[in-house]
Amino acid sequence: MVKTVSAAEANREFSKLMKLAESGERVVVTSRGQPKVQITRIEEDDAEKARRREAFARLTERLNSQPAQNLPRLTRDDFYD
């Protein structure tokens, strides 16, 4: 379903419109009677989710394989010497 609102109404009720979009409804914002912007829910496809999971797993593996450096703690003044 499509809900059409003016820019002024969208400005006043943005949180409400965001919740509508989250639930799957499409919201069209008009300016001077002309449609200008559409608010919809973002839907990630399965390939994108898998790509992100794989990248996170590779990063975690790399960080876990690196030894701890055990460097001394620095103060703010140490950066300016």
Side-chain angles (χ1 to χ4, degrees):
M1 174 168 248
V2 178
K3 178 172 178 72
T4 303
V5 296
S6 68
E9 184 180 353
N11 193 28
R12 285 190 306 269
E13 300 182 0
F14 188 72
S15 295
K16 178 182 166 188
L17 297 175
M18 256 181 57
K19 288 179 183 175
L20 281 173
E22 268 185 307
S23 69
E25 189 165 343
R26 199 174 98 193
V27 179
V28 175
V29 181
T30 62
S31 177
R32 298 181 183 175
Q34 299 296 314
K36 299 291 182 180
V37 177
Q38 177 175 287
I39 303 172
T40 58
R41 177 178 61 201
I42 294 177
E43 296 185 26
E44 288 188 61
D45 61 350
D46 291 337
E48 178 66 16
K49 286 181 185 177
R51 187 187 70 77
R52 287 176 187 237
R53 262 190 244 107
E54 182 182 330
F56 184 76
R58 284 195 320 263
L59 176 63
T60 303
E61 182 181 323
R62 179 174 177 213
L63 291 174
N64 288 336
S65 71
Q66 295 176 340
Q69 296 295 316
N70 295 326
L71 298 173
R73 295 198 64 104
L74 297 175
T75 65
R76 183 180 294 256
D77 293 335
D78 294 331
F79 290 106
Y80 297 103
D81 285 342

